[in-house]
Amino acid sequence: QKEVEQNSGPLSVPEGAIASLNCTYSDRGSQSFFWYRQYSGKSPELIMFIYSNGDKEDGRFTAQLNKASQYVSLLIRDSQPSDSATYLCAVSFTGTASKLTFGTGTRLQVTL
Amino acid sequence: GAVVSQHPSRVICKSGTSVKIECRSLDFQATTMFWYRQFPKQSLMLMATSNEGSKATYEQGVEKDKFLINHASLTLSTLTVTSAHPEDSSFYICSATSGTSYNEQFFGPGTRLTVL
C-alpha cells in the first residue's frame, strides 16, 4: 500500500522562527511532491511542488527532497501567525498518472 | 491563473434527497478533475477521478451508483450525491489539473454538505 506519512502535530513555533515540516513516502519511484496549506474550514491551497533532489525556494518557503531517503520537507522562514494552518504533503506515485496521495497533514501553530 | 470554482459552497438537505455539486475550471482546460471528501479533523480522501468524456474511476469503497460523476466538458464536472443520508454529511472538494508534466492539482473552495 502506497503511503504518505506526516506527524500530525501540532507543531508550535514562535513568530519569526523557522518551521520545519516533514513527510515520508513509501514508493521509491515517486516522481512529484507537493505541499498544500489548508486553513480550518477551507480547501487546500498549493504552496509549491518539487520533483528533483535538493532544495527549491519560493519566497519564505523552501521544499527539500531526498529521494534516497524517501523524505520531503517544507521549511517556512520568518514564520507568521497567518502561517498557522494544516500543511498537507502529497505525492504522485509511479503509475498513478495525475492522482495524488495525501498525508494526514501537520498542524502548525505560530505563536506571538 | 488556475482558478477552480465550486457551487454551492454550502447545502443543507433532507435525508433521501439528491444534491448536485458543480466544479468548474475558470481559466484553464482541465484534462482531469478529482473529487475528494474530508471529514472533520481527517485528511482528504479521494473518491473518484474524472476525465472529460469518459466514465469516472472510483476509489475502492466508493459507491459509483450513489456518487454520480459527470465530466461533460473540459471545464465542468458535477458530483451528484443520490439519496443522501446523514452519514454523507461532509466537506466535498474538487480539484483539477491541466495535464502539465508535474500534475499540479488546483482545488475548488469546497462544498459543505449537511444531511438532516
Side-chain angles (χ1 to χ4, degrees):
Chain A
Q1 186 175 354
K2 296 176 178 176
E3 296 179 343
V4 178
E5 296 192 359
Q6 296 179 256
N7 187 317
S8 61
L11 172 65
S12 185
V13 299
E15 184 177 6
I18 296 175
S20 177
L21 304 161
N22 305 315
C23 172
T24 59
Y25 57 94
S26 62
D27 183 2
R28 188 172 292 277
S30 300
Q31 298 178 332
S32 301
F33 308 85
F34 303 83
W35 283 100
Y36 287 86
R37 177 176 62 198
Q38 186 176 25
Y39 292 111
S40 181
K42 303 295 185 182
S43 67
E45 171 192 10
L46 180 64
I47 297 175
M48 62 191 307
F49 66 89
I50 188 169
Y51 54 91
S52 297
N53 274 327
D55 295 359
K56 179 181 179 183
E57 186 174 319
D58 184 359
R60 295 188 295 115
F61 299 98
T62 299
Q64 299 175 318
L65 175 61
N66 184 326
K67 290 188 176 182
S69 300
Q70 296 174 233
Y71 176 95
V72 58
S73 65
L74 179 70
L75 302 179
I76 306 175
R77 288 182 298 281
D78 188 23
S79 295
Q80 301 297 309
S82 58
D83 293 326
S84 299
T86 296
Y87 289 81
L88 301 169
C89 171
V91 177
S92 173
F93 287 119
T94 310
T96 59
S98 54
K99 191 164 77 171
L100 297 180
T101 299
F102 284 84
T104 53
T106 298
R107 189 158 64 94
L108 173 66
Q109 293 178 337
V110 180
T111 59
L112 296 173
Chain B
V3 178
V4 178
S5 70
Q6 245 180 280
H7 178 79
S9 59
R10 186 180 296 267
V11 58
I12 301 173
C13 69
K14 293 182 178 180
S15 186
T17 61
S18 294
V19 174
K20 179 185 283 189
I21 303 169
E22 289 188 353
C23 177
R24 293 181 185 272
S25 57
L26 299 185
D27 53 0
F28 66 102
Q29 293 190 323
T31 53
T32 306
M33 288 184 169
F34 302 86
W35 287 96
Y36 294 85
R37 182 166 52 181
Q38 188 176 35
F39 292 106
K41 299 191 184 302
Q42 294 186 23
S43 189
L44 297 163
M45 290 181 55
L46 179 64
M47 299 175 67
T49 303
S50 160
N51 291 291
E52 183 261 342
S54 61
K55 290 184 179 180
T57 301
Y58 290 82
E59 295 299 300
Q60 191 172 8
V62 177
E63 300 174 58
K64 63 180 181 181
D65 294 330
K66 180 170 180 62
F67 299 99
L68 302 178
I69 293 173
N70 186 319
H71 194 154
S73 74
L74 284 171
T75 60
L76 172 65
S77 177
T78 60
L79 167 68
T80 301
V81 183
T82 62
S83 186
H85 288 92
E87 57 266 31
D88 298 324
S89 298
S90 188
F91 191 41
Y92 291 86
I93 315 172
C94 73
S95 72
T97 179
S98 60
T100 61
S101 301
Y102 309 112
N103 293 316
E104 311 99 288
Q105 289 186 24
F106 300 96
F107 284 83
T111 297
R112 189 159 303 280
L113 171 64
T114 303
V115 185
L116 302 177

